[in-house]
Amino acid sequence: MTATPVETPVQLHAVDAPDQPDVTPALEELYRGFEQELLVPLWTEIGDLMPAHPHSRAVPHRWKWENLLRLADRAGHIVPVGRGGERRAIALANPSLGGRPFATPTLWAAIQYLMPGEDAPEHRHTQHAFRFVVEGSGVWTVVGGDAVPMNRGDFLPQAGWNWHAHHNASDQPMAWIDGLDIPFQYVTESQFFEFGRDEISEGERITPEYSRSERLWGHPGLRPVGVAHTTPGSPLLAYKWEHTDRALADQLALAKEGYAGTVEPGHAAVRFSNPADGTDVLPTVRAEFHRIVRGTETAPVRETGSSVYQVFDGSGVITVGERTWSVTRGDLFVVPSWEPFSARSEAGSTDSDSGALDLFRFSDAPVFEALRLNRTQLDK
């Protein structure tokens, strides 16, 4: 008695093509046997599984800040913050990733919006996260009971599995950018989440100028002797804009004096690092800040892994692969793996405090470096 074939998701097709076996009845019968046993021969898939170089599922894309802010404000008047949704966070969805809320296959980025007097309830998750403030002030994020101020230009990393909430102590709404490794933990099936308190205590609803973490770890080049830091991620919960701005300005000033320090002529850059050991601020996320002098065009570069950029200040022209956009303050764009990226600064004193194109960048570089899969190529 012949067994009834079962349905199988494996579908193999014999094709008349170079480097493929001759199409014969015997080959067709072999493929049907593979399908029934859920087997896929490498010779039919090698071009997709082992390409000559990365072909990202993500595509280059730009989001205009003015559109994000307008829609976030509308959501602020319609969508409450509380249990269930947890955050009024609106994620960037790369147009080639099937509608998933992923900016790239490994990175999640969103605009978060908090209305005056609102609190975002406490929770924790294994996903590593940060906040970056392109404009505004008045919100404090409370991480493990430590109230951390958020102001324009500040970068606020927060490693996974830390309790955190937010409160807006001002009479104005505030928006900022959230970045997390949600897609990476989603595909590796490693994520955990836990609800915390519905409300933070009055003792946590304070508005200090500096958090406890900044007072302990925020002194350049100085590490506290009496405190050990053994958990993942940076113990410093806020990297102030004043320090980032000065570092970039000093690099460019030194370059004018004939000393080394910039990435290339007219292009200064800094990387946010863990003050305890000098590594990246988060295990799966790298964060950097770039300043490009007016008239400078950066050399096209390809890298394995993906990045998300936000224009902090100024204007310019961005080229990613075959896409080119004009960008201004707040705009976000994606650089997929191995797509060439370059920027030309058109910033000046009328649209930039620094007179240059300032770019905040975060990427999945620590993952690729840990796996020894990192590669960089400068295009001629």
Side-chain angles (χ1 to χ4, degrees), residues 10-76:
V10 176
Q11 299 292 319
L12 302 175
H13 302 283
V15 294
D16 184 10
D19 301 320
Q20 292 294 307
D22 294 337
V23 179
T24 64
L27 182 67
E28 295 282 4
E29 183 180 1
L30 177 64
Y31 281 4
R32 301 296 82 76
F34 285 165
E35 291 173 349
Q36 290 300 303
E37 295 299 326
L38 300 177
L39 301 171
V40 179
L42 178 61
W43 61 82
T44 65
E45 302 289 328
I46 191 167
D48 182 51
L49 296 178
M50 296 181 177
H53 57 79
H55 296 286
S56 179
R57 290 184 293 115
V59 295
H61 191 74
R62 177 200 57 183
W63 291 262
K64 295 292 292 180
W65 179 247
E66 60 183 356
N67 296 336
L68 297 179
L69 199 57
R70 172 175 50 84
L71 290 168
D73 183 65
R74 287 174 58 185

Side-chain angles (χ1 to χ4, degrees), residues 183-239:
F184 174 73
Q185 293 205 26
Y186 179 83
V187 74
T188 56
E189 300 178 344
S190 57
Q191 65 272 48
F192 290 86
F193 178 92
E194 188 174 344
F195 292 113
R197 297 164 296 169
D198 292 337
E199 298 180 358
I200 58 176
S201 68
E202 286 303 314
E204 294 167 304
R205 293 185 58 80
I206 56 176
T207 56
E209 183 179 1
Y210 296 98
S211 63
R212 295 195 303 270
S213 80
E214 293 169 86
R215 292 164 63 190
L216 190 61
W217 291 95
H219 306 286
L222 301 173
R223 174 177 175 171
V225 175
V227 178
H229 179 70
T230 57
T231 56
S234 174
L236 180 58
L237 298 178
Y239 292 69

